[in-house]
Amino acid sequence: MKVIEAENLSKTFRVKRKEKGMKGSIRAILRQQTEEIKAVSGVSFAVEEGEALAFIGPNGAGKSTTIKMLTGILYPDGGKASVLGIDPAKKRKQLAYQIGTVFGQKEQLWIHLTPYDNFRFFGAIYDIPDGEIEKRIGELSDIFELSGLINTPVRNLSLGQRIRCEIAASLLHRPKILFLDEPTIGLDAVSKIAVRKFIRNLNAEKGVTIVLTTHDMQDIEALTERILL
């Protein structure tokens, strides 16, 4: 069964341009110059349930923009998308209950709170009952080996520890699809191996569909079955 279908997805951004120096700044105030940047142009693909897909390409190819359209963060200018039978642009909230996202370069955890407090917060967002959220926190703490750091403020965690917590947080509501945008960026070799192990087990044992964007060829080899270039 296809859980993701994209048909001719397109996205264009309008960006401001100015000449260098003070004169350029004055001209930009008096007469703004803009340029259209086509980030995504006519992208079509499908992903099967339980698949692990690598979505790769050079910087600026539109990978993150495509992921953001599939998750409802951005609206496409053209084409259409369906994720678990839901149009992300029209029913983003409904879709959010069934997918998880991890952006390696952006934090979703509140850095002044502990992972535990963050998990409780996300549990409330996803309407998970108190008893059930405590059970899920315990399960994820064991899987991701978080017991020694779950009560430490996120700002005091290493990058590898934070990424483990980010992935755990994205799984609290038991999503059917996990979107991972460069989840191992900046991690040391040991942390990368640990994160890959967790992701591989999610796919193999839990049947979670994985969509991974990365520039790390070892991530691709270790985690995915198919490459979309």
Side-chain angles (χ1 to χ4, degrees), residues 12-16 34-37:
T12 300
F13 295 101
R14 187 178 295 276
V15 297
K16 294 180 180 179
T34 61
E35 178 182 353
E36 289 190 347
I37 304 295

Coordinates of all heavy atoms in Angstrom, one line a residue, residues 12-16 34-37:
T12 N 7.9 27.6 -5.4 CA 8.8 28.7 -5.8 C 8.8 29.8 -4.7 O 7.7 30.1 -4.1 CB 8.3 29.4 -7.1 OG1 8.3 28.4 -8.2 CG2 9.2 30.6 -7.5
F13 N 10.0 30.3 -4.4 CA 10.1 31.3 -3.4 C 10.5 32.6 -4.0 O 11.2 32.7 -5.0 CB 11.2 31.0 -2.4 CG 10.9 29.8 -1.5 CD1 11.5 28.5 -1.8 CD2 10.0 29.8 -0.4 CE1 11.2 27.4 -1.1 CE2 9.7 28.7 0.3 CZ 10.3 27.5 0.0
R14 N 9.9 33.7 -3.5 CA 10.3 35.1 -4.0 C 11.2 35.7 -3.0 O 10.9 35.9 -1.8 CB 9.0 35.9 -4.2 CG 9.3 37.3 -4.9 CD 8.0 38.1 -5.0 NE 7.1 37.4 -6.0 CZ 7.2 37.6 -7.3 NH1 8.1 38.3 -7.8 NH2 6.3 36.9 -8.1
V15 N 12.4 36.0 -3.4 CA 13.5 36.6 -2.5 C 13.9 38.0 -2.9 O 13.8 38.3 -4.1 CB 14.7 35.7 -2.4 CG1 14.4 34.3 -1.9 CG2 15.4 35.5 -3.8
K16 N 14.2 38.8 -1.9 CA 14.6 40.2 -2.2 C 16.1 40.2 -2.6 O 16.9 39.5 -2.1 CB 14.4 41.0 -1.0 CG 12.9 41.2 -0.6 CD 12.8 42.1 0.6 CE 11.3 42.3 1.0 NZ 11.1 43.1 2.2
T34 N 13.0 41.8 -6.7 CA 12.8 40.5 -6.2 C 13.2 39.5 -7.3 O 13.2 39.9 -8.5 CB 11.4 40.2 -5.8 OG1 10.5 40.5 -6.9 CG2 11.0 41.2 -4.6
E35 N 13.4 38.3 -6.9 CA 13.8 37.2 -7.8 C 13.1 36.0 -7.4 O 13.0 35.7 -6.2 CB 15.3 37.0 -7.8 CG 15.8 35.9 -8.8 CD 17.3 35.7 -8.7 OE1 18.0 36.5 -8.0 OE2 17.7 34.7 -9.3
E36 N 12.6 35.2 -8.4 CA 11.9 34.0 -8.1 C 12.9 32.8 -8.1 O 13.7 32.7 -9.1 CB 10.8 33.7 -9.1 CG 9.6 34.6 -8.9 CD 8.4 34.1 -9.7 OE1 8.6 33.3 -10.6 OE2 7.3 34.7 -9.5
I37 N 12.9 32.0 -7.1 CA 13.8 30.9 -7.0 C 12.9 29.6 -6.9 O 12.1 29.4 -6.0 CB 14.6 30.9 -5.7 CG1 15.4 32.2 -5.6 CG2 15.5 29.7 -5.6 CD1 16.5 32.3 -6.7

